[in-house]
Short mmCIF file of all heavy atoms in Angstrom, two decimals:
data_model
loop_
_atom_site.label_atom_id
_atom_site.label_comp_id
_atom_site.label_asym_id
_atom_site.label_seq_id
_atom_site.Cartn_x
_atom_site.Cartn_y
_atom_site.Cartn_z
N GLY P 691 -12.43 -88.41 -206.85
CA GLY P 691 -11.40 -87.40 -207.13
C GLY P 691 -11.80 -86.00 -206.74
O GLY P 691 -10.96 -85.21 -206.28
N GLY P 692 -13.07 -85.67 -206.90
CA GLY P 692 -13.41 -84.26 -206.70
C GLY P 692 -14.73 -84.04 -205.99
O GLY P 692 -15.23 -82.92 -205.97
N ARG P 693 -15.30 -85.10 -205.41
CA ARG P 693 -16.56 -84.96 -204.67
C ARG P 693 -17.63 -84.24 -205.50
O ARG P 693 -18.43 -83.47 -204.97
CB ARG P 693 -16.34 -84.20 -203.36
CG ARG P 693 -15.33 -84.81 -202.41
CD ARG P 693 -15.10 -83.96 -201.16
NE ARG P 693 -14.74 -82.59 -201.45
CZ ARG P 693 -13.53 -82.19 -201.83
NH1 ARG P 693 -12.54 -83.05 -201.95
NH2 ARG P 693 -13.31 -80.93 -202.08
N GLY P 694 -17.61 -84.45 -206.80
CA GLY P 694 -18.59 -83.80 -207.66
C GLY P 694 -17.95 -82.78 -208.60
O GLY P 694 -18.55 -82.38 -209.59
N HIS P 695 -16.75 -82.35 -208.26
CA HIS P 695 -16.02 -81.48 -209.19
C HIS P 695 -15.52 -82.32 -210.36
O HIS P 695 -15.37 -83.53 -210.27
CB HIS P 695 -14.86 -80.79 -208.47
CG HIS P 695 -15.30 -79.70 -207.54
ND1 HIS P 695 -15.51 -78.41 -207.96
CD2 HIS P 695 -15.61 -79.74 -206.21
CE1 HIS P 695 -15.91 -77.69 -206.93
NE2 HIS P 695 -15.99 -78.46 -205.86
N ARG P 696 -15.23 -81.65 -211.44
CA ARG P 696 -14.80 -82.30 -212.66
C ARG P 696 -13.39 -82.88 -212.49
O ARG P 696 -12.49 -82.23 -211.96
CB ARG P 696 -14.78 -81.23 -213.76
CG ARG P 696 -14.42 -81.69 -215.12
CD ARG P 696 -14.70 -80.50 -216.04
NE ARG P 696 -14.17 -80.69 -217.36
CZ ARG P 696 -13.33 -79.85 -217.96
NH1 ARG P 696 -12.93 -78.75 -217.33
NH2 ARG P 696 -12.90 -80.08 -219.18
N VAL P 697 -13.22 -84.11 -212.93
CA VAL P 697 -11.92 -84.76 -212.90
C VAL P 697 -11.46 -84.93 -214.35
O VAL P 697 -12.22 -85.43 -215.18
CB VAL P 697 -12.01 -86.13 -212.21
CG1 VAL P 697 -10.65 -86.81 -212.18
CG2 VAL P 697 -12.58 -85.99 -210.80
N VAL P 698 -10.24 -84.49 -214.65
CA VAL P 698 -9.71 -84.68 -216.00
C VAL P 698 -8.36 -85.37 -215.89
O VAL P 698 -7.45 -84.86 -215.22
CB VAL P 698 -9.54 -83.33 -216.74
CG1 VAL P 698 -8.96 -83.55 -218.13
CG2 VAL P 698 -10.86 -82.59 -216.82
N ALA P 699 -8.24 -86.53 -216.53
CA ALA P 699 -6.97 -87.25 -216.54
C ALA P 699 -6.33 -87.05 -217.90
O ALA P 699 -6.98 -87.21 -218.94
CB ALA P 699 -7.19 -88.73 -216.26
N GLY P 700 -5.04 -86.69 -217.91
CA GLY P 700 -4.38 -86.50 -219.19
C GLY P 700 -3.00 -85.89 -219.02
O GLY P 700 -2.50 -85.74 -217.90
N THR P 701 -2.41 -85.53 -220.13
CA THR P 701 -1.10 -84.88 -220.10
C THR P 701 -1.29 -83.40 -219.76
O THR P 701 -2.41 -82.87 -219.79
CB THR P 701 -0.42 -84.96 -221.48
OG1 THR P 701 -1.24 -84.21 -222.41
CG2 THR P 701 -0.30 -86.40 -221.97
N ALA P 702 -0.19 -82.75 -219.48
CA ALA P 702 -0.25 -81.32 -219.17
C ALA P 702 -0.88 -80.55 -220.33
O ALA P 702 -1.69 -79.64 -220.14
CB ALA P 702 1.16 -80.80 -218.88
N GLU P 703 -0.52 -80.95 -221.54
CA GLU P 703 -1.06 -80.31 -222.75
C GLU P 703 -2.59 -80.50 -222.79
O GLU P 703 -3.34 -79.55 -223.08
CB GLU P 703 -0.40 -80.97 -223.97
CG GLU P 703 -0.44 -80.15 -225.24
CD GLU P 703 0.63 -79.04 -225.27
OE1 GLU P 703 1.72 -79.24 -224.67
OE2 GLU P 703 0.34 -77.99 -225.86
N GLN P 704 -3.03 -81.70 -222.51
CA GLN P 704 -4.48 -81.97 -222.55
C GLN P 704 -5.23 -81.19 -221.47
O GLN P 704 -6.32 -80.67 -221.71
CB GLN P 704 -4.72 -83.47 -222.38
CG GLN P 704 -4.35 -84.29 -223.63
CD GLN P 704 -4.42 -85.79 -223.38
OE1 GLN P 704 -4.03 -86.27 -222.32
NE2 GLN P 704 -4.93 -86.53 -224.37
N ILE P 705 -4.63 -81.12 -220.29
CA ILE P 705 -5.28 -80.34 -219.20
C ILE P 705 -5.36 -78.87 -219.61
O ILE P 705 -6.40 -78.23 -219.47
CB ILE P 705 -4.49 -80.48 -217.88
CG1 ILE P 705 -4.33 -81.94 -217.45
CG2 ILE P 705 -5.11 -79.62 -216.78
CD1 ILE P 705 -5.51 -82.60 -216.83
N ALA P 706 -4.25 -78.36 -220.13
CA ALA P 706 -4.24 -76.94 -220.56
C ALA P 706 -5.30 -76.71 -221.64
O ALA P 706 -5.98 -75.67 -221.63
CB ALA P 706 -2.84 -76.57 -221.07
N ASP P 707 -5.44 -77.66 -222.56
CA ASP P 707 -6.48 -77.54 -223.60
C ASP P 707 -7.87 -77.41 -222.98
O ASP P 707 -8.69 -76.60 -223.41
CB ASP P 707 -6.48 -78.77 -224.53
CG ASP P 707 -5.25 -78.83 -225.43
OD1 ASP P 707 -4.52 -77.80 -225.52
OD2 ASP P 707 -5.00 -79.90 -226.03
N GLN P 708 -8.12 -78.25 -222.00
CA GLN P 708 -9.42 -78.22 -221.33
C GLN P 708 -9.67 -76.88 -220.65
O GLN P 708 -10.75 -76.30 -220.75
CB GLN P 708 -9.50 -79.34 -220.28
CG GLN P 708 -9.60 -80.73 -220.87
CD GLN P 708 -10.93 -80.95 -221.55
OE1 GLN P 708 -11.97 -80.49 -221.04
NE2 GLN P 708 -10.93 -81.60 -222.69
N LEU P 709 -8.65 -76.39 -219.95
CA LEU P 709 -8.80 -75.10 -219.26
C LEU P 709 -9.05 -74.00 -220.28
O LEU P 709 -9.94 -73.17 -220.12
CB LEU P 709 -7.55 -74.79 -218.43
CG LEU P 709 -7.18 -75.78 -217.32
CD1 LEU P 709 -5.95 -75.29 -216.56
CD2 LEU P 709 -8.33 -76.01 -216.35
N GLN P 710 -8.27 -74.04 -221.36
CA GLN P 710 -8.41 -73.01 -222.39
C GLN P 710 -9.80 -73.05 -223.03
O GLN P 710 -10.42 -72.00 -223.26
CB GLN P 710 -7.34 -73.18 -223.47
CG GLN P 710 -7.42 -72.09 -224.55
CD GLN P 710 -6.18 -72.03 -225.42
OE1 GLN P 710 -5.34 -72.92 -225.39
NE2 GLN P 710 -6.08 -70.96 -226.20
N GLU P 711 -10.28 -74.26 -223.30
CA GLU P 711 -11.58 -74.37 -223.95
C GLU P 711 -12.68 -73.75 -223.08
O GLU P 711 -13.46 -72.92 -223.55
CB GLU P 711 -11.91 -75.84 -224.24
CG GLU P 711 -13.22 -75.96 -225.01
CD GLU P 711 -13.69 -77.40 -225.20
OE1 GLU P 711 -13.13 -78.30 -224.53
OE2 GLU P 711 -14.62 -77.61 -225.98
#
Side-chain angles (χ1 to χ4, degrees):
Chain P
R693 302 177 306 282
H695 286 274
R696 183 171 169 236
V697 180
V698 179
T701 63
E703 201 79 32
Q704 287 172 320
I705 303 283
D707 290 347
Q708 289 291 321
L709 300 182
Q710 182 166 12
E711 184 186 13

